[in-house]
């Protein structure tokens, strides 16, 4: 089997006995080890287990890395950078990410480990996003007072004009998915000339302004200049890459912050389905590194037109797509059927986020969102602006429904529930989306929950990005800084 070694080879590599390696495999101390034909097979890049205490592997305490999150929404990328949440077992590729800390939950689910990153600031303009974020992350021990319900433009102005300290300093990383509606192929594609303001409202003047929604990345750039993180990660829709020269303009603008103090590597489009997410969601990712914080070697490597595999900040692909042949150590794509495992029909569920689903009627194939999801394929991109026309979980036979067995069992035509959309986005089930008014926050309805879920980065994709940066942190920012 490609990508695996025998217990004898592992024993020689780790200077252990073969018997000891077999014991560690049986105790599940070697993540990713599988038994085939009565023999244990171990991932090629598996790490030697450390000494254990009370059945748990000791971990070396590492310095916490402070994170600022902008345009946070309900916190998809924040959860990815925090880690410590449940994902499908099929979403993890042990042959490629054998160093990940993984705990078994049951036969279908595992819990991925906590990262070094800790969120100390977040913001958004949507009250329902703040309500969901603070409700969830507050239970994880994050200070919810650090979530600012305000436009980034207003916050920057408040700090600069009134000298009020809004943004924390001495941070390590800044993330932000600046608004994408003006670059999305599903929208008007007005780009930098958006007719919406930074608060989401229609502009009163037709004159272009740097405070319009399409230029909010420039205000993210302002925050980078104020806080000077070692690295920043910016995210947007794939449509940005084929809208004139928008990608190149944004790369240049980001690299000019702090008088050219940041090295921005060429942006790439990542397909979430290649990272175990059961959804064909493509997003462009920008990385910027503070030049003065990089080691001389890292600066040299990251400056190359073709960055080496060792130094690239982009995570390794772990899954192949439906139209691709199996290759190397890649796992098969995760299907919608996998994602929805264990979910009963909404009427039988006690989960309020699963009970809620759009009642919009079928309008014909010519309209958006009138398709039935393919259970054995990857899911459609979960959209924020669908006006109730979220894809159907199941169509009736009259409307061309393909799930014959379910229909024969009397299951009715309906659209995806809020929880089903959250599952396809890889949010864990303990994240509540439909919630009552709590702790001074507004309530979140089903329609509002759809929107904040659709606006989010899949947490699992965020985790891949976070772990790649965590793995390379010392490589990028260790001893031997550039003078």
């Amino acid at each position: 089997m490609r990508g695996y070694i025998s217990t004898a080879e592992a024993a020689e590599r780790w200077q252990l006995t073969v018997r000891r390696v077999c014991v560690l495999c049986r105790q599940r101390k070697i993540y990713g080890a599988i038994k085939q034909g009565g023999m244990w097979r171990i991932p090629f890049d598996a790490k030697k287990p450390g000494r254990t205490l009370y059945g748990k592997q000791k971990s070396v305490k590492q310095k916490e890395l402070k994170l600022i999150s902008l345009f946070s929404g309900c916190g998809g990328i924040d959860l990815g950078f925090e880690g410590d949440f449940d994902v499908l077992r099929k979403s993890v590729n042990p042959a490629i990410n054998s160093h990940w800390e993984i705990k078994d939950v049951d036969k279908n689910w595992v819990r991925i480990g906590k990262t070094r990153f800790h969120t100390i600031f977040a913001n958004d303009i949507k009250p329902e996003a703040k309500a969901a974020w603070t409700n969830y992350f507050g239970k994880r021990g994050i200070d919810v007072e650090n979530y600012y319900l305000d436009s980034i433009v207003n916050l920057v102005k408040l700090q600069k004009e009134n000298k009020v300290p809004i943004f924390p300093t001495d941070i390590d990383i800044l993330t932000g998915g600046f608004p994408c509606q003006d670059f999305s192929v599903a929208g008007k594609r007005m780009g930098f000339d958006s007719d919406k303001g930074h608060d989401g409202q229609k502009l009163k003047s037709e004159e272009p302004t740097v405070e319009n929604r399409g230029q909010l990345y420039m205000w993210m750039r302002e925050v980078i200049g104020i806080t000077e993180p070692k690295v920043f990660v910016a995210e947007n829709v794939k449509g940005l890459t084929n809208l004139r020269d928008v990608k190149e303009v944004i790369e240049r603008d980001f690299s000019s912050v702090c008088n050219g103090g940041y090295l921005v590597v060429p942006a790439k489009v990542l397909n979430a389905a290649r990272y175990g997410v059961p959804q064909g969601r493509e997003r462009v990712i920008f990385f910027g590194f503070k030049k003065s914080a990089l080691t001389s070697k890292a600066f040299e490597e990251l400056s190359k037109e073709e960055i080496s595999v060792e130094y690239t900040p982009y995570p390794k692909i772990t899954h192949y797509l439906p139209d691709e042949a199996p290759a190397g150590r890649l796992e098969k794509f995760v299907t919608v059927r996998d994602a929805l495992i264990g979910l009963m029909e909404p009427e039988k569920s006690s989960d309020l986020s699963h009970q809620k689903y759009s009642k919009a009627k079928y309008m014909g194939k010519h309209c958006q969102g009138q398709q039935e999801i393919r259970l054995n394929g990857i899911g459609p991109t979960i959209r924020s602006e669908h006006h109730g026309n979220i894809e159907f979980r199941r169509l009736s036979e009259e409307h061309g429904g393909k799930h014959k067995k379910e229909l024969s069992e009397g299951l009715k035509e309906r659209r995806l529930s809020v929880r089903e959309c959250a599952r396809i986005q890889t949010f864990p089930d303990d994240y509540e989306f439909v919630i009552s008014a709590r702790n001074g926050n507004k309530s979140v309805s089903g329609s509002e929950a759809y929107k904040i879920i659709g606006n989010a980065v899949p947490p699992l994709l965020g985790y891949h990005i976070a772990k790649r940066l965590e793995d390379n942190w010392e490589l990028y920012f260790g001893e031997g800084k550039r003078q």
Side-chain angles (χ1 to χ4, degrees):
M1 181 179 293
R2 296 180 64 184
Y4 289 85
I5 59 176
S6 68
T7 53
E9 291 171 312
E12 182 179 0
R13 178 185 296 180
W14 295 336
Q15 296 185 330
L16 298 172
T17 66
V18 173
R19 176 184 171 81
R20 179 58 182 161
V21 172
C22 291
V23 169
L24 290 170
C25 288
R26 287 197 299 272
Q27 293 176 342
R28 295 190 174 182
K29 300 289 178 58
I30 303 175
Y31 183 67
I34 60 174
K35 204 167 190 179
Q36 185 181 54
M39 304 292 289
W40 285 103
R41 309 292 291 176
I42 298 166
F44 180 82
D45 55 356
K47 306 295 186 199
K48 177 183 178 181
R51 292 184 178 182
T52 57
L53 180 64
Y54 302 120
K56 294 183 179 180
Q57 188 168 323
K58 288 183 178 179
S59 59
V60 178
K61 184 69 175 178
Q62 293 180 299
K63 176 180 174 289
E64 185 177 83
L65 300 172
K66 298 175 184 176
L67 180 147
I68 283 181
S69 166
L70 305 178
F71 314 105
S72 309
C74 65
I77 198 165
D78 301 345
L79 179 53
F81 268 81
E82 290 278 338
D84 191 24
F85 59 98
D86 292 352
V87 299
L88 284 164
R89 187 180 295 275
K90 290 182 177 181
S91 290
V92 179
N93 186 330
I96 291 176
N97 292 315
S98 61
H99 63 294
W100 284 10
E101 179 190 346
I102 303 291
K103 295 179 182 177
D104 290 319
V105 175
D106 58 32
K107 66 178 183 179
N108 297 312
W109 298 89
V110 295
R111 194 168 189 87
I112 50 181
K114 179 74 179 75
T115 70
R116 294 173 61 187
F117 300 106
H118 179 64
T119 309
I120 61 171
F121 179 97
N123 94 291
D124 206 273
I125 62 171
K126 296 181 180 296
E128 58 272 15
K130 177 178 183 286
W133 193 102
T134 55
N135 180 63
Y136 179 74
F137 286 95
K139 297 173 184 176
R140 294 172 59 101
I142 294 177
D143 187 354
V144 298
E145 295 298 319
N146 291 333
Y147 193 110
Y148 286 72
L149 184 62
D150 206 342
S151 159
I152 188 174
V153 174
N154 292 337
L155 294 175
V156 169
K157 286 182 175 180
L158 188 62
Q159 173 145 341
K160 284 194 165 186
E161 295 174 7
N162 300 327
K163 296 182 171 53
V164 176
I166 300 294
F167 302 102
T169 55
D170 188 28
I171 66 161
D172 297 290
I173 184 167
L174 181 148
T175 65
F178 53 95
C180 62
Q181 297 96 322
D182 301 296
F183 304 110
S184 173
V185 293
K188 297 179 181 179
R189 309 210 77 194
M190 299 183 75
F192 295 142
D193 300 320
S194 174
D195 60 355
K196 294 291 182 66
H198 59 87
D199 56 1
Q201 302 301 310
K202 190 171 180 65
L203 293 170
K204 295 179 181 179
S205 171
E206 294 183 3
E207 292 298 316
T209 169
V210 293
E211 294 184 15
N212 77 48
R213 190 175 60 185
Q215 295 205 36
L216 285 182
Y217 79 93
M218 288 295 286
W219 294 87
M220 178 177 177
R221 177 183 177 278
E222 289 285 329
V223 182
I224 294 168
I226 292 169
T227 58
E228 297 190 35
K230 290 183 177 68
V231 60
F232 68 82
V233 183
E235 172 268 344
N236 210 281
V237 293
K238 177 187 177 182
L240 176 150
T241 63
N242 53 35
L243 184 61
R244 300 190 297 274
D245 57 348
V246 168
K247 183 179 81 74
E248 289 74 19
V249 170
I250 292 175
E251 287 173 342
R252 287 198 299 270
D253 286 339
F254 275 142
S255 63
S256 67
V257 71
C258 296
N259 296 315
Y262 279 81
L263 172 60
V264 178
V265 303
K268 285 188 177 181
V269 173
L270 303 183
N271 187 333
R274 292 186 180 277
Y275 299 93
V277 177
Q279 178 186 184
R281 193 180 191 92
E282 295 181 294
R283 289 296 183 267
V284 60
I285 306 296
F286 299 84
F287 286 99
F289 296 87
K290 188 177 182 181
K291 293 177 180 178
S292 61
L294 290 169
T295 66
S296 298
K297 180 63 174 176
F299 179 81
E300 177 188 347
E301 293 292 331
L302 291 171
S303 298
K304 292 179 177 178
E305 188 172 341
E306 289 292 331
I307 302 173
S308 67
V309 172
E310 181 184 10
Y311 277 86
T312 181
Y314 294 98
K316 295 178 182 178
I317 290 170
T318 57
H319 293 68
Y320 62 85
L321 300 180
D323 59 351
E324 296 175 340
R329 296 183 293 165
L330 298 184
E331 294 281 357
K332 180 185 175 183
F333 59 92
V334 180
T335 68
V336 173
R337 189 185 299 279
D338 295 327
L340 304 187
I341 193 166
L343 288 179
M344 56 186 70
E345 284 300 288
E347 293 77 11
K348 297 180 179 180
S349 175
S350 60
D351 177 4
L352 193 56
S353 295
H354 189 37
Q355 293 173 8
K356 299 293 183 181
Y357 60 90
S358 170
K359 302 302 192 297
K361 302 297 184 183
Y362 179 74
M363 299 172 63
K365 293 182 179 180
H366 62 285
C367 298
Q368 188 181 53
Q370 309 307 307
Q371 292 75 35
E372 177 183 73
I373 57 168
R374 294 179 295 111
L375 290 177
N376 293 326
I378 58 175
T381 296
I382 301 301
R383 294 168 289 124
S384 174
E385 300 297 334
H386 51 74
H387 308 291
N389 291 330
I390 196 73
E391 277 71 16
F392 278 88
R393 165 62 181 83
R394 182 186 310 110
L395 281 171
S396 66
E397 195 164 359
E398 174 191 0
H399 294 148
K402 298 290 197 302
H403 305 321
K404 306 295 185 184
K405 184 175 184 298
E406 294 182 347
L407 293 173
S408 69
E409 294 170 352
L411 299 182
K412 66 180 184 181
E413 175 178 289
R414 67 170 175 84
R415 295 180 184 272
L416 288 167
S417 74
V418 169
R419 176 60 64 203
E420 287 168 334
C421 289
R423 282 275 192 99
I424 292 171
Q425 277 277 60
T426 67
F427 279 98
D429 285 354
D430 62 348
Y431 195 123
E432 298 176 88
F433 286 100
V434 180
I435 54 180
S436 58
R438 302 172 187 171
N439 305 317
N441 289 316
K442 66 165 290 185
S443 62
V444 183
S445 68
S447 61
E448 291 166 336
Y450 276 131
K451 290 180 181 179
I452 60 176
I453 291 170
N455 266 331
V457 173
L460 181 56
L461 178 60
Y463 190 76
H464 275 274
I465 295 169
K467 289 297 289 183
R468 180 62 181 175
L469 286 174
E470 183 183 76
D471 291 344
N472 277 9
W473 198 264
E474 298 304 322
L475 190 68
Y476 294 149
F477 309 113
E479 298 298 324
K481 295 180 182 178
R482 298 176 67 250
Q483 299 299 317

